[in-house]
Amino acid sequence: MRTYQIVGIGNAVVDVISQSDDSFLDLMGIEKGIMQLIERDRGEVLYAAMQGRVQTPGGSVANTIAGAGALGLDAAFIGRVHDDALGQFYAKSMSDDGVDFVNPPVPGGELPTSRSMIFVSPDGERSMNTYLGISSELSSTDVSKDVAGQAKIMFLEGYLFDKDKGKTAFLEAARSCHEGGGKAGIAISDPFCVERHRADFLSLIENELDYVIGNEDEIKSLFETDDLDEALAKTAAICPLVVCTRSGDGVTVVSEGKHIEVPVTKVVPVDATGAGDQFAAGFLFGLATGRDLETCAKMGCVCAGEVISHIGPRPEANMLALLKAEGLV
């Protein structure tokens, strides 16, 4: 039975990227510069209309796990894809990135593989149209107890909390992880997700999880406050480790009553997509390899800094070499 240093559970989404001008966006009724959830029919129309498509595997926690794998962790990802062209592409791409894609594509799946159609304008704006498809149907049947029970670190994606079957899968995965002696935590993902399920979210964090990673808005949304210090204190009261990213203002880590502040150098990002995902990759790499929390946070900042220096949500540089250059490994 294989032991993984890190296992993620999240949306398996293929990012499909195409260049387009504003007249095309207007013609297709695409609102510029935002992310919209769309239905299946709309997704098929937009996909067919894309010229020069470039496809990459995506999804928030999947990006984190790919980043952790690139740093050398023995990594696995649990997600749900259909046995269609995009699903086969996704599974192969994760494997090519050195990550075990635990579940094979679902034959005869009830919905197509999830995809986000991203239209990049000449001014660099990204207009995202996401069809959640089969990935949002992930349930307990997709989560092997053998895999969850052998995970040293489990990382869950808040977006999957929108359906009861996802909540149940998270609960069971966290418990299996603990039974095997591992630690389980969550990426909050989105303040609106918290607002829809606040009581269940807080119950999961308090009773089942060892750590929480989120940005300022996400942490504040947990307790409906605009005071970050208050939100951090209340979250730390129910969870042993709280990690809050604050963009150019650095990172705050709260554990065992101690606050650790890690500054960052402010830069103008080429593409901020994936910054939080790769911060988590670096932080969890540090956690998995026994580093202290300040070093973990510094590792996360290096990884986030690399990914915002280019287009795309996954690292392009040799991340282990970058960490070595910073004296962190």
Side-chain angles (χ1 to χ4, degrees), residues 65-82:
I65 299 303
L71 284 165
L73 291 188
D74 193 3
F77 178 70
I78 296 171
R80 190 172 176 84
V81 298
H82 188 186

Side-chain angles (χ1 to χ4, degrees), residues 60-322:
S60 176
V61 163
N63 289 336
T64 294
I65 299 303
L71 284 165
L73 291 188
D74 193 3
F77 178 70
I78 296 171
R80 190 172 176 84
V81 298
H82 188 186
D83 190 16
D84 52 18
L86 285 181
Q88 292 165 8
F89 164 80
Y90 193 95
K92 183 179 185 302
S93 296
M94 291 296 285
S95 296
D96 289 347
D97 284 342
V99 175
D100 274 7
F101 190 71
V102 174
N103 300 327
V106 180
E110 65 276 20
L111 293 168
T113 295
S114 310
R115 75 284 310 263
S116 181
M117 276 68 68
I118 303 172
F119 298 89
V120 182
S121 305
D123 60 4
E125 284 276 11
R126 295 159 66 90
S127 307
M128 294 179 281
N129 299 262
T130 303
Y131 167 60
L132 289 177
I134 197 173
S135 71
S136 63
E137 298 299 316
L138 185 138
S139 70
S140 298
T141 59
D142 298 300
V143 182
S144 163
K145 287 189 176 181
D146 288 342
V147 175
Q150 294 296 312
K152 295 305 180 187
I153 292 177
M154 174 75 70
F155 195 39
L156 310 173
E157 183 173 322
Y159 285 124
L160 283 177
F161 216 64
D162 263 332
K163 293 193 175 182
D164 287 341
K165 63 178 74 175
K167 294 178 186 179
T168 302
F170 278 7
L171 187 68
E172 294 178 1
R175 289 177 177 173
S176 294
C177 180
H178 285 146
E179 287 170 6
K183 294 183 180 297
I186 196 166
I188 297 175
S189 296
D190 190 319
F192 299 109
C193 187
V194 175
E195 289 174 14
R196 291 191 292 269
H197 311 282
R198 183 170 285 105
D200 287 341
F201 228 109
L202 290 173
S203 176
L204 180 75
I205 291 170
E206 181 171 12
N207 297 309
E208 309 293 344
L209 300 184
D210 303 287
Y211 65 91
V212 172
I213 299 177
N215 63 30
E216 287 182 85
D217 291 336
E218 291 162 357
I219 296 292
K220 289 190 289 189
S221 71
L222 288 172
F223 291 96
E224 298 180 272
T225 177
D226 289 328
D227 186 328
L228 180 60
D229 289 337
E230 177 188 358
L232 286 169
K234 287 184 174 180
T235 308
I238 64 171
C239 189
L241 173 59
V242 183
V243 184
C244 178
T245 58
R246 296 181 289 114
S247 298
D249 293 325
V251 178
T252 300
V253 180
V254 186
S255 178
E256 298 179 347
K258 297 179 181 177
H259 280 242
I260 300 168
E261 301 290 341
V262 175
V264 297
T265 302
K266 289 187 179 182
V267 297
V268 177
V270 173
D271 178 7
T273 309
D277 303 340
Q278 294 311 319
F279 170 84
F283 187 92
L284 295 176
F285 169 77
L287 206 62
T289 52
R291 267 70 177 192
D292 63 83
L293 294 177
E294 182 175 359
T295 300
C296 291
K298 289 179 177 178
M299 288 177 164
C301 291
V302 171
C303 293
E306 189 278 339
V307 83
I308 65 173
S309 70
H310 57 76
I311 299 293
R314 296 193 176 185
E316 293 182 351
N318 182 323
M319 295 310 305
L320 205 53
L322 288 183

Side-chain angles (χ1 to χ4, degrees), residues 2-18:
R2 186 167 179 181
T3 298
Y4 292 100
Q5 289 172 287
I6 188 166
V7 175
I9 305 178
N11 277 311
V13 183
V14 177
D15 289 339
V16 187
I17 304 169
S18 176

